[in-house]
């Protein structure tokens, strides 16, 4: 059986896949390619199942009944493009580009870059991805502190890893592999997480923190480090500003006070701080859990400050300046995205920008965009590879407000909850169904052929390219996809036609790994060359030049517990729920429930529980989590009922029913709070 190496395009990891071809040359099976550094998630491995699924959208579909009625008709691509162009152009003519709303899901580098190109050339200010809830806060906080984007990569030198709200066994399996190698070499793993996971089983120290109190723990660590003399005094004296501000900010956080806030034992808190500060070099991995509250940016600042205090920066095995991309990689460059056309003045016309506290933020938030729709300022929406109804705060409100748009267009594989309320749904091709080029870190370029022909689905890039031409930008887009790929290859010395024959252009052999830049000797790449432990410019805007812990609302009689959430190892965000190969691994949304809550509510393993907040409710199956903090429930994210019909509620199992888009919102980065919010858990009597 012939094997064709392919590359998955479902996320920015772009893992290599070995696709087995049958005698007719058709894909028959997919497995990981087992190349160095490649560990694949279920999404890419189940591409065949997705491609052939009976519920997949196979042709453009136009709504013919009321929104959400499920009444559609198949139309041709020309009809679909004519409809989409007419509606977008109508909004452009009546309201200008400010009337359009462009939404994309989790980062897919090439698709996102082409969508950004169109938005930038049209002048559309109102666009957003998942950044405000996915690492934008941490990434920006590192740049604001050190002057560079940090790469926290485990190497042979790393002696301590702290996973803080991160579970790579479910989401970043290559990091799990690196941690296992570090531990075999004698390193230590500390895990800060309220949920028992594979990583807490591997940990030398598990800190089951009370959800929403991460900044209190970080400030407690800062005090211990400075109090015990564990700081890197030389680095701080030469290159840091704001150290005295940090001393004052963390002074109240004694071991006892920090323990009372976080629910951790004082000995646990001390041990974690000592290992990180003294067993160097060390790395702090902050996960999405830190991005999901009103203080997400300041929690990112806490991580950066802890790295600075302990000297775990610009040394091998710790936080380093990210390596530059290959000069052959055009995907993240202004040449493709036309980022220079998106001026600061244009950005300031983004809805909600007047409420942003951080001028370096790249976007606002979904809740801000919903307010723009309600105000009548946003009239036409376009969603590429996203499902905001499931993934944004207060899912039912999101659904209602998006339905009030004059026109909504969605590109996706299935009729997701967002697609179900659209006017036009466009079928997207999998990575098996169209030609692809991949630009590797060593400068090599990989050609991947289309393995399946005859599909009416088109790649995201192809759809966006066609829309760009029809919206009057033909000079800035391409006659066909051959022209697009050859545009990306300009300067590489090779053409698409040549790659179809050779399959690959070799790189220069250089693995672009992050390395120390000498900042500890010559100064950091900030305006004054210093590490900024304090940011005085934020004092006036947000009332805090240094991180200050603010408690979430406390549980009370009506809502006595706290909920958080987690990502399943069997799905990627909201995708994959239709696929038996994934769904059989976790057929229902599973809520991890602390032992005390289970005992109080007489919940047993496998029962259904109803979880309620002032915003809404959800129902998930119970799994009792040993060792969880008292009064804690961790909910599965991304759930929706793929087979809902009649009176069945498509969003009944969605945890974002509980979250508010009006309260507990972030300032510097506009995140919404979905971790540590008060809730009530009750037993749900249900017959399966």
């Amino acid at each position: 059986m012939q094997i064709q190496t392919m590359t998955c395009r479902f996320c920015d990891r772009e893992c290599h896949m070995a696709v087995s071809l049958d005698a007719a040359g058709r894909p028959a099976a997919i497995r990981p390619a087992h190349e160095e550094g490649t560990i694949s998630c279920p999404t890419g491995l189940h591409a065949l199942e997705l491609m052939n699924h009976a519920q997949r959208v196979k042709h453009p579909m136009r709504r013919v009944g009321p929104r959400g009625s499920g009444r559609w008709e198949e139309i041709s691509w020309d009809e679909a493009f004519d409809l989409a162009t007419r509606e977008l152009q109508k909004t452009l003519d009546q309201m200008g580009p400010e009337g359009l709303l462009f939404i994309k899901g989790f980062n897919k580098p090439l698709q996102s870059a082409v969508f950004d190109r169109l938005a930038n050339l049209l002048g559309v200010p109102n666009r957003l991805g998942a950044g405000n809830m996915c690492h934008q806060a941490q990434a920006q906080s590192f740049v604001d502190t050190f002057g560079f984007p940090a790469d926290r990569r485990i190497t042979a030198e790393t002696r301590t890893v702290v996973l803080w709200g991160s579970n790579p066994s479910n989401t970043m399996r290559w990091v799990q592999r690196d941690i296992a190698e570090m531990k075999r070499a004698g390193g230590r793993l500390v895990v800060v997480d309220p949920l028992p996971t594979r990583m807490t089983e591997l940990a030398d120290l598990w800190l089951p923190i009370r959800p929403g109190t991460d900044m209190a723990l970080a400030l407690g660590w800062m005090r211990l480090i400075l109090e015990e003399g564990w700081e890197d005094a030389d680095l701080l004296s030469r290159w840091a500003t704001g150290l005295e501000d940090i001393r004052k900010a963390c002074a109240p956080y004694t071991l006892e006070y920090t323990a009372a806030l976080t629910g951790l034992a004082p000995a646990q808190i001390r041990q974690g701080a000592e290992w990180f500060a003294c067993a160097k070099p060390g790395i702090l991995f902050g996960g999405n859990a830190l991005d999901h509250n009103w203080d997400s940016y300041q929690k990112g600042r806490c991580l950066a400050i802890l790295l600075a205090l302990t000297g775990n920066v610009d040394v091998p095995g710790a936080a380093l300046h990210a390596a530059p991309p290959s000069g052959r990689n055009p995907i993240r460059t202004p040449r493709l995205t036309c980022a220079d056309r998106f001026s600061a003045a244009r950005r300031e016309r983004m809805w909600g920008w007047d409420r942003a506290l951080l001028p370096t933020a790249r976007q606002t938030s979904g809740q801000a965009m919903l307010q723009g729709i309600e105000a009548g300022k946003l009239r036409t929406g376009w969603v590429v590879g996203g499902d905001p109804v499931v993934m944004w705060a207060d899912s039912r409100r999101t659904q209602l407000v998006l339905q009030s748009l004059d026109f909504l267009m969605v590109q996706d594989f299935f009729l997701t909850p967002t697609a179900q309320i659209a006017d036009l749904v466009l079928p997207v091709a999998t990575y098996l169904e169209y030609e692809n080029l991949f630009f590797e870190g060593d400068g090599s370029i990989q050609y991947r052929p289309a393995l399946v022909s005859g599909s009416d689905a088109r790649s995201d890039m192809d759809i966006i390219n066609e829309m760009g031409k029809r919206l009057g930008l033909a000079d800035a887009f391409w006659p066909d996809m051959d022209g697009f790929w050859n545009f990306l290859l300009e300067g590489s010395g090779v053409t698409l036609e040549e790659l179809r024959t050779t399959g690959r252009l070799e790189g220069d052999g250089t693995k672009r790994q992050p390395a120390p830049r000498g900042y500890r000797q010559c100064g950091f790449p900030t305006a004054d060359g210093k590490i900024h432990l304090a940011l005085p410019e934020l004092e006036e805007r947000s009332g805090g030049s240094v991180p200050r812990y603010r408690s979430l609302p406390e549980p009370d009689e009506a809502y006595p517990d706290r909920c958080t959430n987690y990502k399943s190892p069997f799905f990627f965000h909201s995708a994959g729920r239709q696929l038996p190969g994934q769904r059989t691994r976790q057929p229902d949304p599973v809520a991890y429930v602390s032992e005390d809550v289970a005992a109080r509510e007489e919940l047993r393993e496998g029962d259904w529980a109803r979880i309620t907040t002032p915003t809404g409710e959800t129902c998930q199956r119970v799994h009792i989590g040993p060792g969880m903090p008292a009064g804690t429930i961790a909910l599965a994210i991304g759930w929706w009922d793929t087979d809902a019909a009649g009176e069945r509620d498509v969003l009944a199992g969605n945890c974002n029913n509980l979250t508010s888009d009006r309260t507990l919102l972030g300032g510097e980065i506009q995140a919404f709070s979905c971790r540590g919010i008060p809730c009530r858990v009750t037993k749900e009597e249900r017959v399966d």
Side-chain angles (χ1 to χ4, degrees), residues 327 647 653:
E647 295 182 357

Side-chain angles (χ1 to χ4, degrees), residues 27-76:
I30 302 175
R31 61 174 174 80
H34 294 302
E35 298 177 8
E36 181 182 355
T38 299
I39 303 175
S40 303
C41 77
T43 306
L45 292 173
H46 288 84
L48 276 176
E49 197 175 345
L50 186 160
M51 185 178 70
N52 297 316
H53 199 282
Q55 292 179 353
R56 183 186 176 191
V57 178
K58 298 181 175 64
H59 308 282
M61 298 175 65
R62 176 171 55 199
R63 178 176 60 83
V64 294
R67 280 191 169 125
S69 66
R71 294 169 55 192
W72 304 90
E73 66 173 355
E74 292 183 0
I75 59 176
S76 70

Side-chain angles (χ1 to χ4, degrees), residues 319-442:
L320 297 168
H321 194 303
S326 165
R328 284 180 176 171
N329 188 339
I331 292 176
R332 301 181 187 274
T333 64
R335 177 172 167 267
L336 177 57
T337 62
C338 297
D340 57 323
R341 297 285 292 272
F342 191 46
S343 65
R346 174 62 60 182
R347 185 188 301 274
E348 289 173 3
R349 303 185 77 167
M350 185 181 296
W351 192 261
W353 192 257
D354 58 324
R355 298 186 295 278
L357 297 177
L358 195 68
T360 47
R362 295 189 292 275
Q363 63 184 40
T364 58
S365 63
Q367 53 266 23
M369 297 304 170
L370 295 182
Q371 293 166 6
I373 296 172
E374 290 179 313
K377 301 298 184 181
L378 301 175
R379 303 283 293 277
T380 295
W382 183 356
V383 181
V384 175
D387 193 359
V389 168
V390 173
M391 301 304 292
W392 287 9
D394 195 346
S395 292
R396 300 188 187 284
R397 170 172 146 74
T398 297
Q399 184 182 53
L400 287 171
V401 176
L402 288 178
Q403 284 187 101
S404 69
L405 285 165
D406 290 352
F407 182 77
L408 177 61
M409 175 169 69
V410 174
Q411 294 175 205
D412 215 316
F413 301 111
F414 293 100
L415 287 174
T416 66
T418 301
Q420 289 172 23
I421 61 170
D423 300 281
L424 177 66
V425 180
L426 303 179
V428 177
T430 69
Y431 68 87
L432 302 172
E433 297 172 291
Y434 63 95
E435 277 188 310
N436 264 301
L437 295 181
F438 291 86
F439 299 84
E440 307 287 356
D442 64 355

Side-chain angles (χ1 to χ4, degrees), residues 443-460:
S444 65
I445 302 174
Q446 307 277 359
Y447 172 76
R448 305 301 190 207
L451 298 184
V452 178
S453 60
S455 169
D456 199 27
R458 301 172 70 153
S459 73
D460 283 307

Side-chain angles (χ1 to χ4, degrees), residues 94-175:
Q94 293 177 352
M95 305 183 68
E98 288 80 9
L100 299 177
L101 171 58
F102 283 11
I103 301 169
K104 53 190 177 183
F106 181 86
N107 182 38
K108 301 172 182 66
L110 186 55
Q111 293 96 315
S112 294
V114 180
F115 201 32
D116 285 344
R117 180 185 184 89
L118 179 57
N120 289 333
L121 291 171
L122 287 175
V124 176
N126 294 299
R127 82 286 278 278
L128 70 157
N132 67 307
M133 299 295 292
C134 188
H135 292 298
Q136 182 190 135
Q138 291 182 51
Q140 191 59 53
S141 68
F142 274 73
V143 171
D144 293 345
T145 304
F146 297 117
F148 63 84
D151 187 307
R152 290 161 283 176
R153 187 171 309 193
I154 301 167
T155 68
E157 295 88 356
T158 306
R159 307 314 301 149
T160 303
V161 170
V162 178
L163 294 176
W164 203 317
S166 174
N167 181 13
S169 62
N170 284 12
T171 58
M172 299 185 295
R173 291 164 176 83
W174 58 95
V175 175

Side-chain angles (χ1 to χ4, degrees), residues 29 89 438 628 638 672:
Q89 191 62 57
F438 291 86
M628 291 176 67
F672 62 86

